[in-house]
Amino acid sequence: MTAPLDRQAPMSSGEAAEPLTFDIREIPFSTRGSWINLSPIVGLHTTADQVHLVSHVNGMHPVFRLGLERDGAPLEAQWWTCPSHHEWRTPDAVVAAAFDGPRTLRLRGRGAQLRLTEAAGELTPFTGGYLFLDPVDQSMVLTSYETGRRYCVRMLRGELSGTGTEALGRSERSVLLGDRTGDWEAELVEATTGVRRVGPRRTFEELVEAGAEAFATYAAMVAPWRSEDPATTGRATYTLWSATVAPEGMLGRESVLMSKHWMDKLWSWDNCFNALALAPGLPDLALDQFLAPFDHQDEWGALPDSITHSEALYNYVKPPIHGWAFARLRQASPRALSRPELELVHDRLSRWSDYWLTCRRVPGHVLPYYQHGNDSGWDNATTFDLDRVVEAPDLAAFLAVQLDVLAGLARELGHRTERWERESEALVAALLDQLWTPEGFVAVGASSGRRSGTTSLLTLLPLLLGDRLPADVRRVMADKVREHLTDHGLATELPSSPQYEEDGYWRGPVWAPSTALIEAGLRRSGYDELADEVSRRFRALCERSGFAENFGALTGAGLRDRAYTWTAAVYLTLSAAAVGAAGGDLA
């Protein structure tokens, strides 16, 4: 089993050490714009012993397994990774990889060979890879049914050999780069039907330098402040940068995936938190994140649940936090949005709001309903234990806030506002009249009328309404926030609840989006000191446990996917606010 070197290990090439390194078993090695990465994570909760080339075209698919060897014997190697390149190291050999643009991986070795073994292992009429030697340039080409792409391996210096070329059925298919002692260099290109090179090739050293410079430029724009923990800030920024893909397939804009592990999609509320982290330094990219799901808005005005390279799913939706997010994006952006941009957002938000008002209300009811916990983003929260189809307090609050933002935008553009203002007032009145109890807000079955419990943090999200809620209601809710606050952050289920689970997804763990929304709601409701504490504990959690999908609320352990962009984004947003509040250097 290979293991990462110490995070501050020097580069073997003799260049100055880069301060930022990371464990490739947690954060994949990739580059902005690429749909491929290097990682030992090859599937849902599946970690291999070796680093793989993984593609996210048509889903997450391991393409090649990469292993060092000499004279046919495998070599144990340590892994060392920084934003510009990845290395496999042994006491007397080193093999390195760097990106040459988003589709090409340059590979270089000294003292060891690198074997690229096709991951599927079997070619069927509809699955697996086919390996052949291109008679034109003597490159090795692997075609993949899973990705619908081909992978061209060409030697630039040294020897190239293949095993299993033109083999059918079950067979080892592999490409061996280099000889046992000499220096060698190769490139691996993900392509459709052909590879066209424009301009001269850069040296490996030039690629490393260009990769480091590209990331440093991005980091200076996204996280320019002076942090007490620059390594965590750097890894958060790299998590966003490396998970960004170029427009392709269903994604018509440059987009930040939730992860380049198995959560390789853009969900239609996750995008909002990534947009807010990008807005101060990269406002155009931030606006693209915000608008990406609106490119797939259906005839009813609904957004897809998720989008990835080759699919947009409409079996669920996500909550309407987009009005709240857009208002914050405008506040954070260093440039004013143009009239056409504002008109576009007004149109999209109008249709999205109309969907909830016309398609998601029981006749005669004021409050809209979720059809499943997945619609809320809190898939299995205890709020949905009695009934899945519920009129929920968070939904009413989100939609009321969105209608307020929409009314303001309409007023600014000279459009009618009356409907949005009227519906917002009605939603807040019904929220308080129908869903408030002495124990707090509840959800109510849209058909059954049964009340949910109050132990989920979801029922405290109406804090986002701020002073539109009565002071006594806000006070009760702030007290309940304190009950959810552990040493590591906000538990999504009360730790004292019988339904609490340490690794229960939305039934206990700390999550970034719920933290961000509660923190914002506390500030709107006049509880700044409590909001500061929520922010501080979440930032400390990330500094200790990285950017996991979620975290154990009692242990602080990172859970599930370990390179989640919305976690990194919320960390950056809260860190920027904390530095600004403390009078720190934001330049």
Side-chain angles (χ1 to χ4, degrees), residues 8 97 104 114 124 142 150 186 211 245 272 286 303 347 351 358 366 387 408 467 481 490 587:
Q8 297 302 320
T104 301
L114 183 68
T124 77
L142 178 78
R150 58 189 63 211
V245 293
C272 293
L303 302 183
D347 174 72
R351 294 174 57 204
T358 60
V366 174
D387 292 275
D467 61 10
V481 168
L490 288 170

Side-chain angles (χ1 to χ4, degrees), residues 399-409 420-421 424 465 468:
L399 188 54
V401 170
Q402 180 159 295
L403 294 174
D404 291 343
V405 172
L406 185 53
L409 185 56
W420 311 130
E421 293 168 341
S424 177
L465 287 165
R468 294 191 69 186

Side-chain angles (χ1 to χ4, degrees), residues 297-537:
Q297 202 164 14
D298 74 4
E299 61 182 304
W300 305 101
L303 302 183
D305 179 58
S306 64
I307 315 156
T308 188
H309 181 275
S310 302
E311 66 179 17
L313 300 181
Y314 292 88
N315 51 328
Y316 299 106
V317 293
K318 283 294 175 276
I321 68 167
H322 304 81
W324 167 80
F326 181 68
R328 289 176 67 102
L329 187 155
R330 288 191 76 182
Q331 292 170 357
S333 175
R335 73 167 179 89
L337 298 188
S338 68
R339 172 89 188 203
E341 288 170 333
L342 294 176
E343 289 283 6
L344 177 63
V345 173
H346 174 268
D347 174 72
R348 299 299 189 263
L349 283 181
S350 296
R351 294 174 57 204
W352 179 220
S353 301
D354 187 65
Y355 166 77
W356 289 99
L357 295 172
T358 60
C359 299
R360 286 295 189 98
R361 292 203 287 197
V362 175
H365 289 211
V366 174
L367 296 171
Y369 62 85
Y370 290 132
Q371 295 173 345
H372 186 280
N374 289 359
D375 284 347
S376 74
W378 294 54
D379 310 2
N380 67 334
T382 57
T383 303
F384 303 97
D385 280 359
L386 286 179
D387 292 275
R388 307 290 185 263
V389 183
V390 295
E391 297 169 352
D394 63 315
L395 174 54
F398 292 153
L399 188 54
V401 170
Q402 180 159 295
L403 294 174
D404 291 343
V405 172
L406 185 53
L409 185 56
R411 190 176 303 110
E412 180 181 351
L413 295 170
H415 300 313
R416 297 181 66 89
T417 66
E418 294 85 351
R419 182 192 180 199
W420 311 130
E421 293 168 341
R422 182 178 66 252
E423 293 284 10
S424 177
E425 290 296 330
L427 281 170
V428 174
L431 171 68
L432 291 166
D433 181 58
Q434 299 174 34
L435 302 186
W436 179 252
T437 74
E439 292 76 37
F441 281 114
V442 297
V444 173
S447 298
S448 71
R450 290 183 298 190
R451 291 180 171 182
S452 74
T454 60
T455 56
S456 174
L457 186 67
L458 178 148
T459 62
L460 301 179
L461 291 174
L463 278 167
L464 209 60
L465 287 165
D467 61 10
R468 294 191 69 186
L469 297 175
D472 59 331
V473 170
R474 284 179 277 146
R475 183 168 56 252
V476 170
M477 296 176 75
D479 288 342
K480 291 180 73 68
V481 168
R482 294 184 181 94
E483 294 178 26
H484 283 266
L485 191 57
T486 73
D487 290 344
H488 306 290
L490 288 170
T492 46
E493 178 73 10
L494 277 176
S496 59
S497 164
Q499 284 75 42
Y500 176 86
E501 299 176 38
E502 183 70 2
D503 185 8
Y505 223 52
W506 292 96
R507 301 171 77 89
V510 176
W511 286 78
S514 51
T515 299
L517 291 165
I518 292 291
E519 191 265 355
L522 288 169
R523 296 197 188 282
R524 284 189 167 200
S525 298
Y527 289 89
D528 286 344
E529 289 186 6
L530 183 54
D532 289 343
E533 189 60 22
V534 168
S535 171
R536 186 191 68 77
R537 294 191 193 189

